[in-house]
C-alpha cells in the first residue's frame, strides 16, 4: 500500500494497479499526522510529499510573513510528515519521495520566497539521506526536481 499525503480529503484511489491512500493533512498539524496508516493497511511503504503554497511571481517585496507562511507549507510540513512517518518507514525499509523544484537548486529572479523554501527542502532531505547512510538506516530518499511548468498563471511583470 502506498500513502500519498497531500492537503485534501482522505480517499482510497487505485494508481497504476497499486492502491494508494491520500490523507487530509491539516496545515497547522505538526504531530502524528500519519497514525491512521498502520491501522488501515498494516504499515507504510512510501511517503510522497508533493504540495505547495501559493506565492507571487515578481520582485521580492520584503513580506516576511509571506515567507514564513510558505516555509510552514513548503518545508516544515514536509519535515513534520517525515518525522511522523519515519518509524513505519524504518520498519518497512520504505521510501520517501520529495517533489521539489529547479528553483531549489538555482536562484531565479522573481521567485525569492518560493525558492527559499525549495532550497530548504534540498538541504534537509539531502542531509537526512547522508545521515541514514552513516547510520545504516534502509529508508531511501528521492528528490524529484521539476523544471518550469507553464500553469498559465504567470502575469506580465
Amino acid at each position: 500500500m502506498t500513502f500519498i499525503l497531500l492537503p485534501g480529503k482522505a480517499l482510497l484511489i487505485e494508481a497504476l494497479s497499486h492502491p494508494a491512500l491520500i490523507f487530509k493533512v491539516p496545515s497547522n498539524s505538526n504531530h502524528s499526522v500519519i497514525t491512521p496508516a498502520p491501522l488501515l493497511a498494516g504499515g507504510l511503504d512510501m511517503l510522497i510529499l508533493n504540495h505547495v503554497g501559493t506565492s507571487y511571481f515578481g520582485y521580492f517585496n520584503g513580506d516576511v510573513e509571506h515567507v514564513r507562511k510558505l516555509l510552514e507549507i513548503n518545508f516544515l510540513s514536509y519535515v513534520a510528515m517525515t518525522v511522523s512517518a519515519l518509524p513505519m518507514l524504518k520498519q518497512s525499509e520504505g521510501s520517501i519521495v520529495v517533489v521539489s523544484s529547479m528553483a531549489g537548486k538555482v536562484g531565479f529572479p522573481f521567485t525569492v520566497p518560493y525558492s527559499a523554501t525549495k532550497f530548504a527542502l534540498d538541504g534537509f532531505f539531502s542531509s537526512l539521506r547522508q545521515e541514514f547512510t552513516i547510520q545504516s538506516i534502509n529508508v531511501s530518499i528521492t528528490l524529484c526536481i521539476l523544471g518550469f511548468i507553464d500553469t498559465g498563471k504567470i502575469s506580465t511583470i
Side-chain angles (χ1 to χ4, degrees):
M1 173 83 50
T2 299
F3 294 86
I4 303 170
L5 289 119
L6 300 167
K9 292 187 176 182
L11 58 128
L12 186 61
I13 62 169
E14 191 72 24
L16 302 173
S17 304
H18 294 43
L21 189 60
I22 300 179
F23 281 92
K24 180 177 182 180
V25 179
S27 59
N28 62 351
S29 177
N30 60 4
H31 64 283
S32 302
V33 293
I34 307 180
T35 47
L39 301 174
L40 294 172
L44 183 65
D45 300 316
M46 181 177 286
L47 178 66
I48 301 172
L49 299 165
N50 180 26
H51 56 278
V52 65
T54 58
S55 189
Y56 58 86
F57 185 79
Y59 294 109
F60 179 57
N61 63 9
D63 186 351
V64 175
E65 280 307 309
H66 177 68
V67 175
R68 188 182 325 275
K69 180 181 174 184
L70 276 184
L71 281 168
E72 285 284 336
I73 297 167
N74 293 0
F75 173 63
L76 293 174
S77 65
Y78 282 53
V79 173
M81 286 187 275
T82 298
V83 168
S84 295
L86 210 45
M88 289 178 281
L89 290 170
K90 286 178 179 178
Q91 185 176 6
S92 68
E93 297 186 340
S95 302
I96 301 168
V97 178
V98 179
V99 179
S100 189
S101 169
M102 183 61 92
K105 291 286 193 182
V106 178
F108 294 105
F110 315 121
T111 63
V112 172
Y114 176 77
S115 291
T117 65
K118 297 305 176 176
F119 269 95
L121 282 178
D122 192 325
F124 180 85
F125 284 99
S126 293
S127 297
L128 188 60
R129 182 190 304 122
Q130 290 180 13
E131 288 186 9
F132 284 0
T133 299
I134 292 167
Q135 298 174 74
S136 299
I137 295 172
N138 196 16
V139 173
S140 69
I141 297 176
T142 303
L143 275 89
C144 301
I145 307 302
L146 304 180
F148 295 107
I149 299 172
D150 182 6
T151 62
K153 293 183 179 182
I154 296 177
S155 60
T156 306
I157 296 176

